[in-house]
């Protein structure tokens, strides 16, 4: 699907996207502002992408939706399940604030609706809660994820469909 006037495309994952999606994940996490997560927390989170082979296998099984720029490079992706769970949702820092995430979320929502899910839900990082709230998500519980010496906080958010 094309999104004029921005001219990006949301399409299914292709195997040759994997390394670029890992890079987007890492750069997006490291670009999060200090007021949400410390440098150590961001580095710990981003380090989960250090094993590219694991991520490539993950993408082959989750089959994310990918947003590609006008020059055909991936600029964002979302992993999701048929029950409406959004597992990963990352936009290249250079493309944030340009409605890429909104187009991607609409594509995920359409795919989930088509499969009969009755809600979208995700464990949303602190920096992304405003975005999800602006798209009709409601905050549920708070989660603490222990990774190495860090504890990362996020909130479960959901949107009835």
């Amino acid at each position: 699907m094309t999104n004029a006037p921005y001219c990006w495309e949301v399409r299914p994952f292709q195997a040759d996207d994997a390394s670029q999606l890992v890079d987007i994940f890492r750069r997006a996490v490291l670009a999060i502002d200090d007021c949400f997560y410390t440098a150590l927390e961001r580095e710990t989170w981003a380090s989960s992408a250090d094993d590219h082979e694991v991520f490539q296998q993950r993408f082959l099984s989750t089959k994310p939706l990918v947003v590609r720029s006008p020059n055909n490079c991936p600029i964002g992706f979302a992993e999701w399940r048929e029950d409406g769970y959004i597992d990963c949702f990352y936009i290249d820092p250079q493309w944030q604030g340009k409605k890429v995430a909104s187009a991607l979320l609409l594509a995920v929502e359409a795919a989930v609706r088509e499969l009969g899910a009755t809600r979208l839900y995700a464990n949303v990082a602190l920096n992304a809660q405003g975005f999800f709230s602006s798209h009709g998500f409601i905050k549920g519980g708070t989660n603490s994820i222990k990774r190495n010496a860090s504890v990362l906080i996020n909130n479960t958010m959901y949107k009835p469909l």
Side-chain angles (χ1 to χ4, degrees):
M1 128 173 110
T2 302
N3 297 284
Y6 297 100
C7 300
W8 55 67
E9 174 191 19
V10 178
R11 61 145 176 85
F13 171 80
Q14 296 172 356
D16 63 347
D17 293 329
S19 65
Q20 292 170 303
L21 300 189
V22 170
D23 184 54
I24 289 168
F25 167 82
R26 185 176 239 318
R27 287 186 300 108
V29 169
L30 293 175
I32 294 171
D33 192 274
D34 288 343
C35 69
F36 296 106
Y37 298 99
T38 67
L40 176 60
E41 290 169 334
R42 292 190 312 270
E43 185 53 48
T44 299
W45 182 359
S47 72
S48 64
D50 288 349
D51 188 339
H52 283 232
E53 182 61 31
V54 168
F55 254 74
Q56 182 153 356
Q57 290 306 312
R58 175 183 172 143
F59 292 143
L60 289 171
S61 68
T62 62
K63 302 203 182 338
L65 287 177
V66 176
V67 183
R68 294 186 73 90
S69 70
N71 65 357
N72 209 27
C73 292
I75 58 175
F77 71 96
E79 293 179 296
W80 56 281
R81 296 189 318 222
E82 292 179 6
D83 69 351
Y85 179 67
I86 300 170
D87 190 10
C88 285
F89 194 97
Y90 294 95
I91 305 299
D92 184 305
Q94 295 177 351
W95 286 86
Q96 291 175 8
K98 298 179 181 175
K99 303 202 182 291
V100 173
S102 295
L104 182 56
L105 186 58
L106 285 173
V108 170
E109 184 173 332
V112 167
R113 279 182 190 273
E114 187 174 306
L115 295 171
T118 59
R119 69 177 181 156
L120 287 173
Y121 65 107
N123 294 321
V124 178
L126 301 176
N127 60 299
Q129 289 181 31
F131 167 78
F132 280 89
S133 290
S134 73
H135 285 83
F137 282 73
I138 301 162
K139 182 181 170 192
T142 298
N143 309 301
S144 300
I145 301 101
K146 183 157 176 48
R147 290 199 179 156
N148 301 328
S150 296
V151 176
L152 304 171
I153 305 297
N154 68 29
N155 289 293
T156 301
M157 297 184 78
Y158 65 94
K159 176 182 179 179
L161 297 178

